[in-house]
Amino acid sequence: MATKVVMEALSPTMEEGRLVKWLKQEGDAVQDGDVLAEVETDKAVMELPARGEGVLRKVLVPVGATVAVGKLVAVIAAAGEDISSVLAEPGPATSERGAGSGERAAPPVPSRSAAPAPSAPSVPTATAPAAAAGRVKASPLAKRIARERGVDLAVIRGSGPGGRIIKRDLEGAAVVSALPARSALSAPGGFEDVPLTQIRKTIARRLSESLGPVPHFFLTVEIDMERAWEAREALNALGEEPRITLNDIIVKVVAQALMQHPECNAWWQGDSIRYFRDVHLGMAVAVDQGLITPVIRNVNFKGLRQIGVETRDLSERARQRKLKPEEYTGSTFSISNLGMLGIDQFTAVINPPEAGILAVGAVTQVPVAEDGAVAVRRRMRATMSCDHRVIDGATGAKFLQTVKRMLENPLAMVW
Amino acid sequence: MPILTYRDALNQALREEMERDPSVFLMGEEVGVYQGAYKVSRGLLEHFGERRVVDTPIAELGFAGIGVGAAMVGLRPVIEFMTWNFALLAIDEVINSAAKMLYMSGGQLPIPIVFRGPGGAALQLGAQHSQAFEAFYANIPGLKVVAPATPQDAKGLLKSSIRDNNPVVFLEGEMLYNTKGEVPEGEYTIPLGKADLKREGSDVTLICHSKTVAVALKAAETLDQELKVSADVLDLRTIRPMDVDAILASVRKTNRCVVVEEGWPFCGVGAQVVHEIQHAAFDDLDAPVERVTGADVPMPYNKHLERAAKPSPELVIEAVKRVAYLG
Amino acid sequence: MVQPATTTRLDPERLDFYHTLLRQMLLVRRFEEKAGEAYAQGKIGGFCHLYIGQEAVAVGTLAALREDDYVFTSYREHAHALVRGMSARACMAELFGKVTGCSRGKGGSMHLFEAKLGFLGGHGIVGSHIPLAAGAGFAIKYRGTDQVSLCSFGEAAANIGAFHESLNMAALWTLPVIFLCENNRYGMGTALERASAVYHIADRACAHEMDSETVDGMDVLAMYEATARAVERARTGKLPTLIEARTYRYMGHSMADPIHGHYRTKEELEEQKKKDPIAGLRHRLRDDGMLSDATFEAMDKQVHEEVADALAFAEQSPDPDPAELYTDVYRD
C-alpha cells in the first residue's frame, strides 16, 4: 500500500513550504515516523515526517523548491510496487484535519506576526504534527481533557506509541490555534466570557464603521526611568546569572499592571469579550524578513530572572525559525520595543483578538524641569494601542498610569 | 488483634457457622478423621461428630450431588473439594443442578450450598493439579464465586457464603493456607460482592484477587520506592458478583489500570474486568488496560518454567510502565 | 427373577384403592396422548418424552409413598408429577411454557417441580439426579425423620458414574433411598444388550451390598407391593433398595424419535402392547366383579374432560412477563 508524502501545513497559517533539505534519498528504507525532509514555513524550519513505511520510491520536489500545502512531494511504497497510479493523481487536499477546526482557511490569512498593517481576525486552519493523513491518535482521556479545555488536539505532539496523544502531552498545553471560539487557556486562572452589553455593541458598531475592523486609538505617556535603571543596576550587581534587562522589567510591570486592570487583558470575540485571569505576553521579535511574537506564559507568576531567560530563549529560537506553534500563539496582550533601534515613540498595531499592545521606545537622557531647575533624567515614551470595542479611553489611561507608576517606583509592582 | 493463619481463619469460620446453625454440615474427602487434607477442618470431627463432619469416598460427582440434594430439602451443606482440579468431575452437579435449580423450578428451590477448596497452583504440582478455574464458574448465572486473599477476608467471606442462600464457589489456595494476618476477634462477616482497597495510590490501579494480591502489593511497593509511582491495589475478593463500582472509582482516579490474575488469559476474569472498565470509564483511560495473567499453557513441572508461568511483581511493574508510558 | 404381584386375589375392601390406581394410569395415558398431539401441532416446543406404556411403574410405586416423602425423576416425568398430585392444568401449562405452569414457564417438559408436594423434579442430564436423591436421603437421616427418598431413572442411567457413586454412598451410609430403575429396554436408540455388560440391572446392587428386586413393570400391583417392601426397609432400617421395573414404552424416546423401525420392530411393539398395564388392571378388576364397563367408560370420559380442561387452560394462559427473564437467578 503506497503512502503519499504531501506538503503538510506545519503551522497554523502556513500555505506553502520551501523544501530546504532531503534527509532521505530515493531508494532508502523508511519507517513510520522517520524524518524525510526539512521544510521552511512562514514561521520556522520544520520536519516533515514519514507517515508510512517501505522504501522512498520517488522524490518529486527538489531542494529549494516552494510547494503549496497539500501537494504531493514524494511516494513511499514497497520495493517492487507499482506506483504509477499514485503519481498520476492530483495531490490530495489537506482538508482532513483530525481534531482541527471544521472549516478550511478562508481568504488569505496574514500571519499574526505581520505588523504594522492592520490584520483581520485570523481563521487559522488547524495543523497537525500529530495528525497522520487526517487522523489524530489520542487516548480517550486526552480527548476528554482537550475537549474540556478547548485545546485543539491537532497541534499537540503525542508522545505515546504511534504518536498517541496522552494526558501528559496536554499538561500545560494552552491555547493553540488563534481562533477565539475554539481555543482556551489551560492556565491556572482560566477565563470568563462576558456577553456584550448594549452600550458596547453600539460603540463597536459605530467605531468599526468609521475606523475599520479594529477601531484603534492611541495613548502615549512619558515615563521617568531613573529608578527602574537603578533597580536594574542593583539587581545585576548581585552578580547572578542571568543579567536582566530593562525590557525584562517592563515585561513584568506590564503583567502586574494588567492584573490590576483586567479590562485590558482581554480578547474581542465578536459576541463577547474574553477576560483572562492570567497574563501571557507576546513579545515582538524582529526576525529575518519579518516579525514574530513569541509568547511568555503566565508572566504574572514569573520572576524577572525567569522572564529574562525565557525572553532570550524564545527570541533566539524565533530568529532561528525554531518555534513550535504553541509558542507563538495565545497571548493576551503584546509588547513591542523598538528602543534598541533608536525609535523614540511609535504606534503598534494590535494583534487581534487581543485588545491592546504597548509600543515602547528608547530610554534617552533628556532635560526636564524639576523643582524649578533643569535636571537631566532618563525618560522613555510608551504608546498603548487600544481596541475601542473593548477598552475605552479612561480605562486605557488608568492602565498606563499604573505602568508609569510601577516603572517610576519599582516597588509599586508588589504593592 | 490476633494473628491467625488463613487456614485457621477458615477453621474458625466453619466452627462458628456450624455452632450457629445446626443445618450446616461439612462433607468431603479426608475432612474428618484425617483432619482435612490441608488441615482446614482440624478438630471439627471431634467437636461436632460424624453426623456433621462426613468423610466421603473419592466420588466428587456423587458427593457434590448429595450436597445439592440435601440443600434442596433444606440443609446447608459445605462441600469440600480436595482441590478445584478434581471438582471438574463434579461440575455437572455444580452447574446443571446447583446453579440452575432455582431458575428452572420457577423460584421454588433455592440451593444454599458452599463448594470450597484450594484452587490454582502450588509448587511443581504439574499440569493437572495447578488450575485456576474461577472464570469457569464466574461465567455461570446462578453461582456466586468468592476468592479471598487474606485470613481476615477468608473468615468473613466464608461465614457470609455459608449464610448466603445461593450456591457459592469458594476458592482458597494451598499457597495461602500458611499465610498469616490479623483477624478481628468476635463475630464479623464480610459481604459478598465488595472489593477491598488494600493499598491506596493515585497513579495506577492494580486489580487482583487471591494469590495475586501479594504480587500486586509487592509490585506497588517497588513502584513507589523506585519509580515514584503510587498504586491503588484493589482486591476483588468476590469475582461474581463483581464490585464494578469500586473498579470504576479507582480507574477514574488513576486513569490507567493493570489487572493481575493467576488464571489463563483467554476469557479469564481479567477479560471481564477490562470490559467493565472500557465500557463505563472509556473517557477516563489514558492507556489501554493491561493484564498480567498465568501463561497460556498447561502448568509445567520444572521449577523455573513454573515460575515463569506465574504472575510476578516484575511482570506487573513492566505492565505498569507500559500503561504509564514510562520508558 | 421377575416378581409378579403376590396378590392372587384382589381384596374387595380395597376397591377404591384399585380404582384410584386405574384412574391415575388413565389420567397419565390420556394426558400423554394429548401432550403428544399438542407437540405435533407445535404448541409444545423443545423436547417431549412420553411415558405411554410405563404407567404402572409411576402409579404403582408412588402409591406406596407418603405425602412427606421425596420424589426425584428424570425428564420422562409428566406421569410422576401428575401422580404425585400436581394438577393437570399446572403440568400442561408448563409444557406450553406458560406462566401458570408449575415452574412459571421457565422449566418446560423436563423440569417440572412442585416442592410442596415433595416432587423435586424433573432433571435433564442422565443420571445427574441420582446423587440428588441420595442427598435427600442423607438429609432425612441427618434430621432423624422416617421419610423416604425415591429416585426414578432409566436403565441406561445405570451405566453412568453418578449411579454407582450414589449407590455406593447410600449403601455405605445406609440412606433411606429407593433407587427405581424403569427398565424400558432402550436407552434412546440403544438396546440394553448393546449398552450393558450386565443385563439384569438389579444384579448391580450386589456390587454395593444392597437389596434389590426385579419386578414386572407392566403390573401396577406388583410395582406397588415391591415398593411397599422397599419403603418399609427404608423407614425402619434406613436401608436403600434397588428396584428394577421391567417395563416398555410405546412411543419413541422422545417426540423426535421414531416409534419403531430403526432400533426396534413393529412386531415387538405389538407384542408388548398385549401386556398393556391399563388393560391389565381393568380386566382383572372386571373379572373379579369390581369394575363394570360403564364405570370404566365414565372414568375414562371424566379423565378425558380433565385433560381437555388442562389443555384449554394451557392454551389460554399467558406467557411469562418479559421481566421474568431475570427473576429467580439468585435468592436474596
Side-chain angles (χ1 to χ4, degrees):
Chain A
M1 209 24 233
T3 306
K4 294 177 202 151
V5 183
V6 300
M7 179 59 68
E8 298 185 0
L10 298 165
S11 84
T13 48
M14 177 180 165
E15 297 195 311
E16 57 188 21
R18 193 164 75 91
L19 204 116
V20 168
K21 189 173 174 188
W22 279 105
L23 280 90
K24 294 270 184 190
Q25 317 300 326
E26 274 184 17
D28 282 353
V30 164
Q31 302 274 25
D32 189 275
D34 280 355
V35 179
L36 291 175
E38 283 181 4
V39 170
E40 189 189 44
T41 74
D42 55 338
K43 301 269 190 288
V45 174
M46 305 288 281
E47 293 172 348
L48 186 69
R51 306 238 179 248
E53 69 177 26
V55 172
L56 186 62
R57 295 282 307 281
K58 191 91 185 114
V59 164
L60 295 163
V61 168
V63 169
T66 297
V67 173
V69 163
K71 290 214 83 66
L72 192 66
V73 302
V75 180
I76 298 168
E81 196 179 331
D82 175 17
I83 57 170
S84 49
S85 53
V86 176
L87 293 171
E89 282 173 34
T94 49
S95 55
E96 316 132 273
R97 272 282 169 266
S101 61
E103 358 158 8
R104 286 289 308 141
V109 175
S111 71
R112 296 188 51 193
S113 58
S119 46
S122 56
V123 179
T125 57
T127 65
R135 196 167 94 81
V136 173
K137 279 196 266 185
S139 78
L141 178 64
K143 284 183 186 168
R144 173 160 72 81
I145 294 172
R147 204 167 51 234
E148 286 167 2
R149 294 190 196 162
V151 173
D152 191 342
L153 280 175
V155 297
I156 303 289
R157 238 174 256 283
S159 63
R164 182 193 297 157
I165 299 169
I166 58 181
K167 180 183 174 192
R168 73 169 173 230
D169 298 326
L170 290 170
E171 264 142 36
V175 179
V176 191
S177 55
L179 184 65
R182 284 196 55 82
S183 48
L185 284 179
S186 63
F191 54 79
E192 179 194 2
D193 290 342
V194 178
L196 293 184
T197 59
Q198 280 305 112
I199 190 172
R200 281 257 73 97
K201 281 186 191 163
T202 310
I203 295 172
R205 195 184 70 244
R206 294 209 345 255
L207 293 179
S208 298
E209 282 160 12
S210 66
L211 284 172
V214 179
H216 286 61
F217 71 91
F218 311 99
L219 300 168
T220 303
V221 74
E222 187 173 288
I223 304 169
D224 187 293
M225 291 296 281
E226 285 295 336
R227 292 242 185 96
W229 190 276
E230 277 166 22
R232 187 201 59 175
E233 297 286 283
L235 285 171
N236 286 337
L238 294 175
E240 288 172 32
E241 286 298 312
R243 296 167 68 73
I244 58 161
T245 65
L246 271 186
N247 198 63
D248 297 334
I249 296 175
I250 292 168
V251 166
K252 184 61 181 175
V253 161
V254 166
Q256 293 307 107
L258 284 171
M259 294 298 282
Q260 290 187 16
H261 298 271
E263 322 80 60
C264 299
N265 190 38
W267 281 4
W268 170 259
Q269 308 225 97
D271 57 0
S272 62
I273 295 172
R274 177 165 293 177
Y275 294 99
F276 291 92
R277 288 191 250 277
D278 295 309
V279 179
H280 311 295
L281 283 179
M283 289 291 318
V285 172
V287 298
D288 227 8
Q289 302 141 35
L291 183 70
I292 195 164
T293 318
V295 180
I296 307 175
R297 299 208 129 41
N298 298 309
V299 186
N300 47 319
F301 291 123
K302 289 178 178 166
L304 289 170
R305 277 187 297 173
Q306 191 173 356
I307 290 168
V309 166
E310 280 190 34
T311 305
R312 249 156 306 301
D313 169 60
L314 286 169
S315 305
E316 185 51 41
R317 287 198 288 117
R319 277 186 274 276
Q320 290 172 11
R321 321 296 291 287
K322 284 209 162 121
L323 288 178
K324 298 185 224 158
E326 56 266 29
E327 288 174 320
Y328 53 80
T329 52
S331 43
T332 60
F333 191 91
S334 296
I335 301 179
S336 186
N337 189 336
L338 290 178
M340 74 294 277
L341 293 176
I343 300 295
D344 295 318
Q345 175 181 335
F346 69 105
T347 55
V349 181
I350 292 171
N351 283 320
E354 293 164 44
I357 183 167
L358 189 68
V360 172
V363 175
T364 51
Q365 304 215 35
V366 294
V368 298
E370 197 181 66
D371 298 327
V374 172
V376 174
R377 293 183 72 82
R378 292 182 174 87
R379 304 287 266 216
M380 182 182 84
R381 284 172 164 244
T383 304
M384 179 181 181
S385 310
C386 305
D387 180 336
H388 212 310
R389 297 170 298 186
V390 180
I391 302 174
D392 297 324
T395 313
K398 286 184 185 144
F399 165 76
L400 266 190
Q401 279 191 323
T402 303
V403 169
K404 177 179 155 94
R405 189 177 72 245
M406 286 181 178
L407 281 172
E408 293 182 348
N409 296 284
L411 276 181
M413 269 198 273
V414 293
W415 194 13
Chain B
M1 219 188 275
I3 308 274
L4 285 182
T5 61
Y6 186 104
R7 163 192 296 113
D8 288 339
L10 291 170
N11 187 282
Q12 277 190 2
L14 286 168
R15 209 176 275 266
E16 287 172 22
E17 291 308 299
M18 287 172 76
E19 291 280 10
R20 179 180 172 272
D21 183 347
S23 69
V24 177
F25 69 93
L26 176 66
M27 176 181 274
E29 296 160 16
E30 314 294 4
V31 296
V33 171
Y34 194 82
Q35 304 291 300
Y38 298 99
K39 302 295 176 275
V40 174
S41 55
R42 180 168 36 210
L44 294 182
L45 175 64
E46 287 71 25
H47 187 77
F48 291 102
E50 276 180 348
R51 183 173 148 270
R52 302 190 65 195
V53 180
V54 182
D55 280 326
T56 66
I58 302 179
E60 277 78 6
L61 177 63
F63 66 75
I66 282 176
V68 178
M72 284 170 79
V73 299
L75 295 185
R76 303 189 81 96
V78 177
I79 303 295
E80 178 172 311
F81 292 122
M82 196 181 289
T83 80
W84 277 96
N85 301 289
F86 315 140
L88 286 178
L89 292 156
I91 206 168
D92 176 58
E93 295 293 358
V94 175
I95 294 178
N96 279 319
S97 296
K100 299 185 185 171
M101 198 71 70
L102 184 68
Y103 193 84
M104 302 194 285
S105 66
Q108 293 182 61
L109 291 162
I111 308 291
I113 194 170
V114 175
F115 297 102
R116 50 159 289 273
L123 293 171
Q124 293 192 268
L125 299 186
Q128 294 179 339
H129 284 72
S130 307
Q131 299 162 113
F133 283 132
E134 37 270 44
F136 275 41
Y137 298 103
N139 192 230
I140 314 296
L143 292 181
K144 297 192 178 181
V145 179
V146 178
T150 64
Q152 175 166 353
D153 289 341
K155 179 176 176 185
L157 286 168
L158 183 55
K159 284 166 73 76
S160 294
S161 300
I162 291 171
R163 297 184 198 186
D164 198 293
N165 289 322
N166 297 282
V168 178
V169 165
F170 194 90
L171 300 149
E172 303 157 6
E174 200 193 319
M175 302 294 288
L176 290 172
Y177 286 138
N178 282 330
T179 63
K180 294 193 173 137
E182 286 189 330
V183 177
E185 294 206 77
E187 170 69 24
Y188 78 97
T189 58
I190 293 177
L192 268 53
K194 287 264 164 260
D196 182 41
L197 201 59
K198 291 286 196 286
R199 182 183 172 124
E200 216 171 312
S202 53
D203 298 324
V204 64
T205 299
L206 302 179
I207 298 182
C208 48
H209 68 276
S210 189
K211 278 159 249 154
T212 59
V213 172
V215 171
L217 285 171
K218 195 139 181 285
E221 187 57 34
T222 306
L223 284 165
D224 193 39
Q225 304 281 2
E226 295 181 14
L227 293 171
K228 298 287 164 259
V229 170
S230 79
D232 253 8
V233 176
L234 188 68
D235 176 2
L236 288 174
R237 298 202 296 194
T238 302
I239 311 297
R240 177 168 193 147
M242 193 177 278
D243 190 350
V244 178
D245 288 341
I247 293 171
L248 295 177
S250 175
V251 173
R252 287 191 178 123
K253 180 175 66 165
T254 66
N255 308 126
R256 55 202 86 245
C257 180
V258 175
V259 187
V260 191
E261 60 174 323
E262 192 189 347
W264 291 304
F266 199 99
C267 291
V269 171
Q272 179 69 18
V273 174
V274 172
H275 157 71
E276 298 288 355
I277 293 172
Q278 68 83 27
H279 193 256
F282 186 73
D283 292 309
D284 295 292
L285 283 175
D286 197 37
V289 180
E290 289 270 340
R291 289 184 304 170
V292 174
T293 70
D296 198 14
V297 300
M299 187 64 84
Y301 166 70
N302 171 274
K303 184 160 59 178
H304 306 292
L305 288 180
E306 183 182 50
R307 193 175 315 124
K310 293 181 182 179
S312 62
E314 291 71 38
L315 287 172
V316 174
I317 290 168
E318 288 310 304
V320 169
K321 283 184 182 172
R322 284 194 293 276
V323 299
Y325 304 105
L326 298 170
Chain C
M1 192 190 41
V2 179
Q3 300 270 47
T6 54
T7 315
T8 48
R9 265 189 63 97
L10 297 174
D11 179 0
E13 303 276 300
R14 309 203 69 196
L15 182 124
D16 285 337
F17 175 62
Y18 302 138
H19 280 205
T20 303
L21 293 178
L22 186 62
R23 190 187 183 285
Q24 283 181 337
M25 287 198 287
L26 264 174
L27 176 63
V28 171
R29 174 70 58 94
R30 298 306 176 216
F31 183 98
E32 295 291 75
E33 284 169 351
K34 281 289 174 238
E37 243 179 67
Y39 187 92
Q41 291 164 355
K43 295 176 183 169
I44 295 175
F47 290 131
C48 192
H49 305 87
L50 299 177
Y51 201 70
I52 297 172
Q54 297 181 220
E55 295 84 354
V57 182
V59 171
T61 52
L62 264 53
L65 295 182
R66 266 187 348 219
E67 266 177 26
D68 63 340
D69 293 328
Y70 300 121
V71 176
F72 293 80
T73 181
S74 71
Y75 43 81
R76 194 181 303 283
E77 54 160 342
H78 311 159
H80 308 78
L82 291 167
V83 176
R84 194 64 183 147
M86 186 184 292
S87 73
R89 282 186 163 196
C91 192
M92 191 65 83
E94 186 58 39
L95 265 53
F96 275 54
K98 302 300 179 82
V99 74
T100 49
C102 60
S103 307
R104 298 186 70 84
K106 286 158 85 168
S109 165
M110 294 192 287
H111 304 301
L112 304 173
F113 291 85
E114 192 74 68
K116 291 194 300 291
L117 298 172
F119 182 71
L120 299 175
H123 299 271
I125 311 293
V126 170
S128 205
H129 62 296
I130 304 176
L132 301 181
F138 177 91
I140 290 165
K141 202 169 168 197
Y142 187 94
R143 289 196 179 116
T145 65
D146 68 345
Q147 295 159 288
V148 162
S149 174
L150 180 108
C151 187
S152 154
F153 53 90
E155 81 292 345
N159 291 325
I160 208 164
F163 169 83
H164 300 280
E165 295 184 31
S166 304
L167 259 64
N168 177 48
M169 282 185 272
L172 180 68
W173 295 334
T174 62
L175 303 179
V177 186
I178 299 172
F179 296 99
L180 172 68
C181 178
E182 303 195 35
N183 180 359
N184 61 16
R185 297 190 23 189
Y186 293 93
M188 207 163 122
T190 303
L192 178 57
E193 310 81 274
R194 295 180 61 228
S196 289
V198 170
Y199 185 85
H200 297 283
I201 306 295
D203 287 353
R204 293 169 197 239
C206 75
H208 306 288
E209 290 272 324
M210 190 185 292
D211 289 319
S212 69
E213 279 195 50
T214 308
V215 189
D216 180 0
M218 305 308 259
D219 182 340
V220 66
L221 291 176
M223 288 310 314
Y224 169 71
E225 286 163 11
T227 307
R229 286 190 285 274
V231 164
E232 183 58 26
R233 269 202 292 281
R235 281 202 215 291
T236 53
K238 291 284 178 284
L239 292 169
T241 310
L242 172 62
I243 296 177
E244 180 189 348
R246 294 265 171 99
T247 183
Y248 200 83
R249 58 166 159 82
Y250 300 167
M251 304 294 285
H253 164 75
S254 76
M255 286 299 296
D257 191 40
I259 295 175
H260 59 79
H262 276 175
Y263 57 91
R264 63 182 180 181
T265 62
K266 191 153 181 265
E267 291 68 40
E268 179 189 287
L269 181 56
E270 295 308 320
E271 200 51 41
Q272 289 294 328
K273 280 186 179 175
K274 292 179 187 162
K275 295 185 238 164
D276 185 271
I278 295 171
L281 182 62
R282 179 197 178 185
H283 291 134
R284 263 194 91 173
L285 287 172
R286 196 178 52 189
D287 293 347
D288 279 10
M290 289 194 217
L291 177 70
S292 68
D293 283 345
T295 310
F296 180 78
E297 245 112 82
M299 197 188 277
D300 198 14
K301 180 164 181 288
Q302 210 242 344
V303 163
H304 269 113
E305 281 163 12
E306 190 177 333
V307 173
D309 168 79
L311 258 173
F313 176 78
E315 302 227 23
Q316 284 148 27
S317 286
D319 285 314
D321 192 272
E324 292 221 31
L325 179 63
Y326 290 103
T327 60
D328 294 321
V329 180
Y330 293 99
R331 168 63 60 89
D332 292 326

